[in-house]
Amino acid sequence: MQKRTAIVGGGAAGFFTAINLKEMMPQMEVTIFEAMSRVLRKVEISGGGRCNCTNSFAEVTDFSQVYPRGHRLLKRLFKAFDHHDAYDWFERHGVELVTQEDQCVFPASQDSHSIINCFLHASQELGIEIRTNQRINTIDELADYDFIVITTGGGIITKLTQSTDSEIVSPIPSLFTFNINDPDLRNLMGTVVEHTTVFIPGTKLRATGPLLITHCGMSGPAILRLSSYAACELAGHNYRMPLNVNWTSMNESETIQELRNIISVHSQKQITTVGPFALPSRLWSYLAAKCLGERVKYCWKDINQKELNRLTNTLTNDQYMIEGRSSFKEEFVTCGGVSLPSVNPSTLESKSKPGVYFAGEVLDIDGVTGGFNFQAAWTTAYTVASAICKKANN
């Protein structure tokens, strides 16, 4: 008899599961159920409409750097399907990809519709049925299917997920910007510093990279990474915690030496006219005034040792208070979901409901910005497709 698979969730993980399963097992009947009127909506808006579909991983030395939750499981699953496999898969299916200098991978078209059209075309060619406006509330509604794959994403725990009797980790945001109530800082909106280190004092939580000052506070890759690493701690403190910024990513001795070099070469110039480490001039004026007050109008030769130490501390250990969060553009990533101990680590099949599988962000797996969340979707989806194919053939 023909086997049937129901996939609940018409997003990235759902379509990737369906297409791979159908390619592995053409005789399998595969149906995608989507509660909304449109499929692949998150793919469409991701990466500013360009879809950062994976990463080269060239700068990743440890999976925990890019997957705060789920790195051990993904490292295992990558042995069967990793970022190289994903790159080859898309190119094989007609989507040319390019790798940027920051190691993020995008369609060469710079348009997320290249991915969407690929999925829709492949689904049509393979005979995958897509049912929109079809909300599934319990697995009992899919009793006629041999296999059920839940790919409903993160953010909320659906009745369907609860009906699997799996252990659930309550979802919380894990990719967001920081609100900082400092009008003088906010006046610098649009300012970018390429090399910073941001950290939560008193913890090991830190991140490096570019930082963007916004009308609300701070954003940019460094902040987004820190928000992911510190998601649980920040949620536990109602998104009110101290934040320290090293504007130079240098240590104190390197920073004070740079300041002494400026004093030596530019002693007659006003402090605000010559700044260290090629910091944006408006930011340097803000930091110097914050540290020196009215003496910021003096020349470099007038700086005493105590003020030099204060400048060094401000540059390497500047302090702020996080007072809330804001979503990052239209992208919304959460940690939490179906706990990893609730699934078979080799197949992602539910331990409590045999025949039910999970893929994508519905699992308690999340990555930092840079294509890592989509790669987790491709890897977990491929894992599920392979597991169903193997089980169906036994």
Side-chain angles (χ1 to χ4, degrees):
M1 293 180 62
Q2 185 180 35
K3 299 289 186 179
R4 306 175 73 210
T5 296
I7 297 175
V8 186
F15 270 84
F16 207 72
T17 303
I19 294 167
N20 279 283
L21 176 56
K22 195 69 174 173
E23 288 180 339
M24 295 174 189
M25 196 173 183
Q27 68 273 28
M28 175 72 74
E29 180 184 318
V30 179
T31 303
I32 296 174
F33 294 88
E34 168 57 44
M36 308 301 287
S37 59
R38 291 173 56 204
V39 295
L40 299 164
R41 291 175 303 134
K42 191 170 181 180
V43 173
E44 184 175 33
I45 65 174
S46 68
R50 297 187 299 141
C51 190
N52 181 187
C53 57
T54 188
N55 192 283
S56 75
F57 282 72
E59 297 176 353
V60 178
T61 57
D62 189 313
F63 267 41
S64 64
Q65 292 175 319
V66 293
Y67 292 109
R69 285 150 292 270
H71 58 275
R72 291 185 182 87
L73 176 63
L74 283 176
K75 185 176 182 180
R76 174 178 181 168
L77 299 182
F78 265 45
K79 294 175 183 178
F81 193 90
D82 64 7
H83 51 291
H84 298 297
D85 297 310
Y87 197 107
D88 293 343
W89 191 97
F90 281 106
E91 295 231 316
R92 210 168 54 244
H93 286 77
V95 181
E96 183 184 353
L97 301 177
V98 293
T99 304
Q100 298 184 162
E101 287 186 10
D102 61 2
Q103 308 309 315
C104 294
V105 178
F106 288 86
S109 66
Q110 299 295 302
D111 187 347
S112 61
H113 288 93
S114 293
I115 303 288
I116 294 171
N117 293 339
C118 166
F119 285 169
L120 294 177
H121 176 74
S123 298
Q124 184 177 23
E125 288 289 305
L126 293 167
I128 296 168
E129 184 179 2
I130 302 170
R131 298 185 188 177
T132 55
N133 296 308
Q134 293 282 310
R135 184 176 299 278
I136 307 298
N137 291 312
T138 70
I139 58 174
D140 292 338
E141 295 175 41
L142 301 171
D144 292 339
Y145 288 84
D146 301 281
F147 306 99
I148 300 169
V149 186
I150 299 176
T151 62
T152 48
I156 58 172
I157 298 300
T158 64
K159 292 180 180 178
L160 174 65
T161 306
Q162 291 174 327
S163 73
T164 66
D165 297 330
S166 301
E167 181 184 353
I168 305 295
V169 179
S170 296
I172 56 173
S174 66
L175 187 64
F176 48 87
T177 63
F178 295 164
N179 294 343
I180 296 173
N181 188 20
D182 182 335
D184 292 332
L185 177 74
R186 292 181 177 185
N187 284 338
L188 303 176
M189 64 176 290
T191 300
V192 176
V193 184
E194 290 296 333
H195 304 289
T196 69
T197 300
V198 293
F199 55 100
I200 306 294
T203 75
K204 295 181 180 180
L205 299 166
R206 63 178 52 231
T208 61
L211 183 150
L212 167 67
I213 299 174
T214 72
H215 66 288
C216 291
M218 295 182 186
S219 185
I223 294 296
L224 294 171
R225 285 199 171 203
L226 184 61
S227 77
S228 185
Y229 298 151
C232 296
E233 288 79 3
L234 285 163
H237 288 82
N238 199 27
Y239 302 98
R240 281 167 173 75
M241 291 187 77
L243 170 72
N244 286 22
V245 181
N246 181 331
W247 294 103
T248 71
S249 278
M250 301 289 184
N251 61 36
E252 288 188 2
S253 61
E254 292 170 324
T255 301
I256 202 168
Q257 184 58 51
E258 171 73 4
L259 295 177
R260 285 174 177 152
N261 291 341
I262 292 175
I263 293 172
S264 174
V265 177
H266 303 285
S267 62
Q268 300 297 325
K269 293 187 177 179
Q270 188 176 324
I271 292 167
T272 54
T273 61
V274 181
F277 301 104
L279 289 173
S281 58
R282 288 199 304 152
L283 175 65
W284 167 240
S285 296
Y286 161 78
L287 294 172
K290 181 179 179 180
C291 177
L292 302 176
E294 286 298 314
R295 283 181 61 81
V296 76
K297 299 175 182 178
Y298 286 46
C299 294
W300 274 107
K301 65 181 177 61
D302 300 316
I303 290 291
N304 59 44
Q305 186 60 48
K306 188 174 181 180
E307 290 168 331
L308 189 63
N309 291 339
R310 287 211 307 269
L311 273 176
T312 300
N313 186 64
T314 297
L315 286 167
T316 60
N317 198 30
D318 199 14
Q319 298 183 337
Y320 298 89
M321 178 59 70
I322 301 168
E323 299 185 34
R325 61 175 177 82
S326 299
S327 61
F328 174 55
K329 297 182 179 179
E330 293 177 292
E331 300 183 36
F332 189 71
V333 176
T334 62
C335 60
V338 175
S339 73
L340 301 187
S342 296
V343 299
N344 182 312
S346 298
T347 64
L348 304 182
E349 184 177 16
S350 169
K351 290 181 179 179
S352 58
K353 298 287 184 181
V356 175
Y357 298 78
F358 301 96
E361 206 182 331
V362 71
L363 290 161
D364 186 18
I365 296 173
D366 64 286
V368 300
T369 185
F372 299 105
N373 285 293
F374 272 129
Q375 182 57 53
W378 314 141
T379 297
T380 55
Y382 186 89
T383 298
V384 168
S386 299
I388 291 175
C389 182
K390 183 177 180 179
K391 192 169 184 177
N393 283 319
N394 285 341

